[in-house]
Amino acid sequence: MLLLLLSGILVASAIAVPQRNSCPSVMAAAGINADDFASFVSHSIHSLTLEDIRFYFKSDAPEDNNIPTVNADMESEERVLPHAPLVGYDDDFSTPAMRQFDLVLRNMDVRTGR
């Protein structure tokens, strides 16, 4: 009986330990290309807004959040902002993607003066 119990514990612990290739297989099953993952994550982090952080991670994240991001103002001398900015999404849109799309469309002619 003790041998059966120990065998069961051994099998259960072997199943519980993640396999070495579990991350790539899980990512592939989710449609994520593991080869491009690092560049995608780094690009996304540098484009974060405070609204994104509050939506996805921490609803009460402060404006002084110490997450450096690329400055979207291409005419500014300051290329990197010390904190993810509060950009003023239009809350009438129900998804973050549509809010971001609206922000781009609202500001696309600012630089050209149209």
Side-chain angles (χ1 to χ4, degrees):
M1 184 67 165
L2 182 58
L3 184 58
L4 185 59
L5 179 62
L6 290 175
S7 297
I9 291 172
L10 182 62
V11 169
S13 63
I15 293 171
V17 174
Q19 300 300 311
R20 253 186 180 193
N21 63 355
S22 64
C23 284
S25 62
V26 169
M27 291 172 72
I32 299 170
N33 183 345
D35 295 332
D36 296 333
F37 187 69
S39 63
F40 175 75
V41 170
S42 64
H43 174 76
S44 299
I45 288 173
H46 289 100
S47 302
L48 276 176
T49 66
L50 183 53
E51 288 92 341
D52 295 332
I53 296 167
R54 288 177 176 168
F55 183 84
Y56 290 107
F57 303 106
K58 187 175 182 188
S59 61
D60 63 344
E63 288 193 40
D64 291 340
N65 50 62
N66 296 316
I67 300 175
T69 60
V70 173
N71 190 349
D73 180 359
M74 302 304 282
E75 295 179 350
S76 174
E77 293 291 322
E78 186 177 23
R79 298 289 183 211
V80 177
L81 301 174
H83 308 285
L86 185 66
V87 295
Y89 283 153
D90 184 343
D91 290 329
D92 289 338
F93 293 98
S94 60
T95 65
M98 290 306 295
R99 291 180 194 134
Q100 179 66 33
F101 185 62
D102 174 64
L103 185 69
V104 169
L105 291 179
R106 278 190 288 141
N107 293 303
M108 66 188 301
D109 291 334
V110 170
R111 196 165 143 226
T112 61
R114 291 185 203 167

